[in-house]
Amino acid sequence: MKHFISSLSTLVLLFCAALPGHAAEDLTHYANPFIGTAATGHTFPGACRPFGLVQASPWTGSVGWEHCNGYTYNDPTIWGFAQTCLNGTGCADLGDVLIQPVQQENIKLEAATDKEPRTGGFPAAYDKKSEKAWPGYYGVTYRNGIHCDATATEHIGCYRFTFPSATLPQNIYVDLQHNPAWRDKQYFQHITASELNWDDTQTLSGHTQSNIWLEQDVYFVIHFSKPMTGMKERPLRQDERGRKVLVNFAPGGEPLEVQVALSSRSIEGARKNLQAEGGKAFQQVGEQARGEWQKLFERFQLTGTEDQKVSFYTGLYHALIQPNNIADCGETPEYSTFSCWDTYRALHPFYTLAFPERVSDLVGSLVTQGERLGHLPIWGLWGKDTFCMIGNHGVSIIAEAYNKGLLSEADAQRAYKAVRQTLTVSHEPKSDWELYTQYGYFPTDKVESESVSRTMECSYDDYAAAVMAKGLGLKDDAKMFGERAKYWQNVFDPSTRFARPRKADGTWKGPFDPSSVGHAESVGGDYTEGNAWQYTFHVQHDVPTLIKLIGGKDVFCQKLDSFFTLRLETTESDVTGLIGQYAHGNEPSHHVAYLYALAGQPERTQEIVRQVCSTLYGTTPDGLSGNDDCGQMSAWLMLSTMGFYPVDPVSGEYVLGAPQMERVVLQLQGGKKLTVEAKGLSEHNKYVRRILWNGKPYKKATISHKQLMQGGRLTFEMKNQL
């Protein structure tokens, strides 16, 4: 893989050399879009802009959990390029408007069959060594000789297809039936409608409607660089609704460029987006895409090994893919793809630190959708709510932004109305507030599943609302939500010292095995993609009380020791990256290593953070130990590399760990800089001897967001033993 990175670096440097004003160091060559495309990372290698609507990416498969995001690194064939992808999720959706270049004699268009739902398409084997990608670009050569280049604007997937024969016609296959599915038999069920129009000899337009995670409409306009000579329709099965056509072009030696503009609003919106962002040559679009990524990457200057830089900048790349702006050009930005259950923990805190100018628009989008839906989106996609996962951590994201001073007074007042309604008006089965407040927890015999996890996570949201209400001077609301923030204690069993399921009559459900893993899809399971070990420590907002209930700091740390050493036997696909009961591949564990530091044993935090960074992240396609989950895994790495982590994001405090890189310099607003340095850092020097803030000894276990944003130098002096 190091050979690949070296070759890719050379290609990118050559690609960028002609750019006017090219930076002294091109940082985009460190970001490797292939990291996470194997194993359980579920990332994609295609081209996109930061927070853009379009992700122009190859799809190597559409059926099964491994193809949630359309691409698996070791698949031998590519079915075409879709215009939308999810980054690192464990659920399947998007994959809209698939296009595939085709050049062969005697082309037949066959209908799909039950045995093979993709029959009739044009899968192409490809030369793996030819495959290249960097931020804003993807390229590959098929074994039939067709070379494919992809780049993107915010709303347009841009392609350049170079065909091997100048005498055979050029063709583009357009598949509007394409969609991801869990099983073959579901493949035809998700596209519910499609429309395809021949606007003129160089332009098609249309619309698809799908219902996978939720019902969504995608509108598109496809513009070709030369006139179409004809179009053949592929026969459809009776249960298919997505049209499929083979578009024909005259032979020629020149590449065919294709621009696919999208809109979440209308065909006219897609046409407007094409007019605003289209009309440029492929090379120009690619250079602008790289330049946009470079500008954001320049927020960070790193001193460390090549592999460390690759991991960090790749994490930064993945963190900036979403949320996606679903508004058309000229409209007020509206972001969606909010994987809030994952990203409230580290990704949104990372935005407040490194990209605070984005936060107001992100919060505004959550609030706008909350007003439209009647509640904040739990897992937002395409401006709607999938109702995936539990709690409603958009509340945390909003309260954190407010507490860090990133919302105006008017925006805060508006946002709090959405917060309050979300947490007091029941809106779906997992938000039964009447039941919650009646018992002070979700009784295991009154809810279908996830009773403990729902109680623990809703308590955190209540705490977040209490913080915001207090800041706004709403004393009654602050008191109400403050009391609800203590509900987690009602599912803490002092006899076992675990959070465990409790019945409506107050008795505990048995038999009880704290290592038994529950899952959101397991009816009767009381935990969400986790177990009692993981959720007992899920008290981000009141660690001192948790320590007290478990038996004091010494007992608490002993329990943490057991947590990180007791072996966990599980076949759950979402519970990966294991260190004992700790599952770094899934989010409920992400803050737990930092609890040692809050309990007086920071050296154990330093040990485990080093272990996670060095063993559960890598620079190969399988370099993520679990789903990237829209950037949460990446944000954990970047913050931990800098030596701190937000155990309680709303508080505005970061718990100190230990840096994993010699120096990280973050450019702050107003010309300020935050420099984090680790003096004497080495493979063996993983412990912190002392910490200095602007040259003066710093002895607290946490450091505030406010301090860091003022700029300064955070110095960790490292040592090799306790």
Side-chain angles (χ1 to χ4, degrees):
M1 197 63 189
K2 289 182 179 179
H3 172 74
F4 166 80
I5 293 170
S6 176
S7 300
L8 181 57
S9 300
T10 302
L11 281 169
V12 178
L13 290 171
L14 290 172
F15 178 78
C16 300
L19 291 180
H22 174 56
E25 180 183 16
D26 175 62
L27 301 177
T28 64
H29 82 276
Y30 288 114
N32 179 358
F34 291 107
I35 293 176
T37 59
T40 58
H42 286 182
T43 61
F44 65 88
C48 60
R49 295 288 181 99
F51 304 104
L53 177 67
V54 164
Q55 301 82 42
S57 189
W59 279 62
T60 62
S62 295
V63 178
W65 186 73
E66 67 274 17
H67 290 121
C68 286
N69 307 87
Y71 179 96
T72 298
Y73 186 77
N74 293 318
D75 282 346
T77 58
I78 292 173
W79 287 87
F81 291 82
Q83 315 314 309
T84 56
C85 289
L86 290 168
N87 173 38
T89 62
C91 288
D93 210 315
L94 303 185
D96 301 290
V97 192
L98 187 83
I99 65 171
Q100 175 78 316
V102 181
Q103 189 176 57
Q104 63 189 58
E105 297 187 57
N106 301 319
I107 297 176
K108 295 181 180 180
L109 296 177
E110 300 175 349
T113 67
D114 287 319
K115 183 177 180 181
E116 175 48 72
R118 299 306 306 272
T119 296
F122 296 91
Y126 64 101
D127 180 2
K128 198 67 183 176
K129 292 181 180 179
S130 74
E131 196 177 33
K132 302 291 185 291
W134 55 79
Y137 172 79
Y138 172 88
V140 69
T141 300
Y142 292 168
R143 293 196 181 278
N144 61 21
I146 298 175
H147 181 75
C148 310
D149 295 300
T151 186
T153 71
E154 187 169 342
H155 295 87
I156 306 172
C158 302
Y159 303 90
R160 181 176 59 197
F161 298 121
T162 304
F163 294 86
S165 172
T167 59
L168 288 175
Q170 301 173 352
N171 305 278
I172 298 294
Y173 180 60
V174 180
D175 184 354
L176 303 185
Q177 178 63 38
H178 180 260
N179 64 92
W182 296 114
R183 301 176 184 87
D184 286 359
K185 65 180 181 180
Q186 296 176 332
Y187 183 79
F188 302 104
Q189 300 173 3
H190 299 314
I191 300 298
T192 54
S194 72
E195 170 190 359
L196 186 64
N197 310 302
W198 180 302
D199 292 355
D200 58 48
T201 58
Q202 289 182 254
T203 312
L204 301 175
S205 66
H207 156 249
T208 65
Q209 184 180 82
S210 62
N211 195 344
I212 304 175
W213 234 351
L214 47 70
E215 185 176 89
Q216 62 187 21
D217 294 275
V218 177
Y219 303 91
F220 63 88
V221 173
I222 306 176
H223 182 76
F224 303 102
S225 60
K226 67 180 189 179
M228 298 175 279
T229 59
M231 186 168 68
K232 298 178 181 179
E233 188 100 9
R234 173 182 162 183
L236 299 182
R237 289 167 41 122
Q238 186 176 359
D239 52 357
E240 283 186 286
R241 298 291 179 268
R243 294 183 65 186
K244 308 179 202 59
V245 298
L246 189 70
V247 185
N248 314 124
F249 301 88
E254 73 286 355
L256 175 64
E257 295 195 10
V258 184
Q259 296 193 338
V260 186
L262 297 189
S263 171
S264 67
R265 316 298 203 210
S266 64
I267 293 176
E268 187 56 40
R271 191 170 288 116
K272 181 174 68 173
N273 295 336
L274 180 64
Q275 184 176 11
E277 298 178 359
K280 301 173 183 176
F282 180 90
Q283 186 75 11
Q284 183 182 6
V285 176
E287 291 171 355
Q288 290 175 343
R290 186 219 61 85
E292 191 172 337
W293 284 107
Q294 169 75 11
K295 185 177 180 180
L296 296 182
F297 282 14
E298 287 174 353
R299 296 276 176 103
F300 289 90
Q301 287 82 48
L302 309 178
T303 303
T305 68
E306 290 296 296
D307 281 354
Q308 286 176 330
K309 291 179 181 180
V310 168
S311 290
F312 193 99
Y313 282 117
T314 301
L316 182 57
Y317 169 70
H318 284 146
L320 301 179
I321 290 176
Q322 68 296 289
N324 308 114
N325 182 12
I326 62 173
D328 289 335
C329 293
E331 297 181 341
T332 300
E334 180 184 350
Y335 293 90
S336 194
T337 321
F338 283 108
S339 183
C340 297
W341 184 80
D342 307 288
T343 57
Y344 86 93
R345 305 166 195 268
L347 182 64
H348 284 276
F350 176 77
Y351 292 152
T352 69
L353 185 69
F355 301 95
E357 73 278 8
R358 292 272 181 176
V359 173
S360 179
D361 281 344
L362 295 176
V363 167
S365 299
L366 281 169
V367 173
T368 294
Q369 291 157 28
E371 292 169 343
R372 187 164 64 229
L373 296 168
H375 59 88
L376 295 170
I378 296 171
W379 208 116
L381 182 65
W382 223 248
K384 299 181 180 180
D385 194 2
T386 67
F387 293 100
C388 185
M389 308 311 295
I390 60 171
N392 195 310
H393 299 315
V395 172
S396 171
I397 294 167
I398 291 170
E400 177 192 17
Y402 170 74
N403 206 34
K404 290 180 175 178
L406 296 173
L407 301 183
S408 69
E409 182 67 21
D411 286 345
Q413 294 284 352
R414 178 187 170 212
Y416 182 73
K417 290 181 181 178
V419 165
R420 193 184 196 285
Q421 176 156 326
T422 296
L423 296 183
T424 57
V425 179
S426 297
H427 46 269
E428 53 96 20
K430 294 182 181 179
S431 300
D432 187 343
W433 303 127
E434 291 78 14
L435 186 70
Y436 181 63
T437 56
Q438 178 184 352
Y439 292 96
Y441 58 95
F442 286 108
T444 183
D445 52 346
K446 295 288 185 179
V447 298
E448 191 174 73
S449 60
E450 304 169 281
S451 65
V452 177
S453 296
R454 287 170 59 188
T455 300
M456 304 293 283
E457 300 213 24
C458 287
S459 293
Y460 186 78
D461 294 336
D462 290 331
Y463 152 78
V467 169
M468 194 171 184
K470 181 179 180 181
L472 293 170
L474 303 173
K475 295 181 179 179
D476 290 344
D477 278 12
K479 181 180 179 181
M480 173 188 67
F481 285 121
E483 289 300 314
R484 284 173 46 166
K486 300 175 185 177
Y487 282 2
W488 67 271
Q489 298 180 40
N490 295 330
V491 294
F492 182 87
D493 176 11
S495 66
T496 62
R497 294 175 180 171
F498 281 103
R500 60 178 294 193
R502 194 173 191 177
K503 298 178 183 178
D505 64 5
T507 61
W508 302 104
K509 177 182 176 181
F512 175 61
D513 177 3
S515 296
S516 179
V517 174
H519 195 281
E521 297 173 354
S522 304
V523 175
D526 290 287
Y527 302 92
T528 303
E529 299 178 10
N531 62 21
W533 275 104
Q534 292 148 18
Y535 267 97
T536 294
F537 294 111
H538 204 285
V539 187
Q540 297 168 266
H541 60 295
D542 195 2
V543 177
T545 299
L546 179 63
I547 291 174
K548 181 179 178 181
L549 290 177
I550 286 179
K553 290 184 177 181
D554 289 343
V555 176
F556 182 79
C557 289
Q558 290 170 12
K559 193 176 186 73
L560 283 173
D561 288 342
S562 297
F563 176 72
F564 283 102
T565 55
L566 290 176
R567 186 172 179 177
L568 174 60
E569 300 287 351
T570 181
T571 58
E572 288 289 345
S573 56
D574 286 323
V575 182
T576 56
L578 297 176
I579 303 175
Q581 299 284 317
Y582 178 84
H584 190 72
N586 207 29
E587 279 63 29
S589 291
H590 273 191
H591 67 285
V592 181
Y594 288 88
L595 297 182
Y596 277 113
L598 295 177
Q601 293 189 16
E603 67 280 358
R604 289 288 288 134
T605 293
Q606 295 153 22
E607 288 174 354
I608 294 167
V609 169
R610 170 65 68 87
Q611 183 178 359
V612 172
C613 289
S614 61
T615 65
L616 299 180
Y617 289 91
T619 59
T620 55
D622 61 353
L624 290 177
S625 59
N627 302 157
D628 192 52
D629 283 317
C630 295
Q632 167 60 25
M633 289 278 287
S634 295
W636 188 98
L637 177 67
M638 289 186 288
L639 290 170
S640 293
T641 294
M642 295 176 71
F644 47 79
Y645 186 82
V647 169
D648 172 9
V650 173
S651 71
E653 294 285 326
Y654 301 90
V655 179
L656 294 168
Q660 303 302 306
M661 193 175 288
E662 184 179 340
R663 182 178 293 108
V664 177
V665 180
L666 170 59
Q667 303 290 331
L668 302 173
Q669 290 181 318
K672 300 176 182 178
K673 292 183 180 180
L674 171 64
T675 299
V676 180
E677 58 184 356
K679 291 188 174 180
L681 179 69
S682 69
E683 180 181 354
H684 301 291
N685 290 1
K686 61 185 175 184
Y687 297 107
V688 176
R689 184 171 68 86
R690 68 169 181 164
I691 300 173
L692 305 175
W693 173 244
N694 291 329
K696 297 180 180 180
Y698 190 87
K699 297 184 178 181
K700 293 176 61 178
T702 65
I703 192 165
S704 72
H705 180 80
K706 184 177 181 180
Q707 282 178 279
L708 296 179
M709 295 305 289
Q710 290 171 351
R713 184 176 296 270
L714 184 61
T715 303
F716 295 75
E717 295 181 352
M718 309 301 292
K719 62 180 181 178
N720 66 359
Q721 57 186 357
L722 298 178

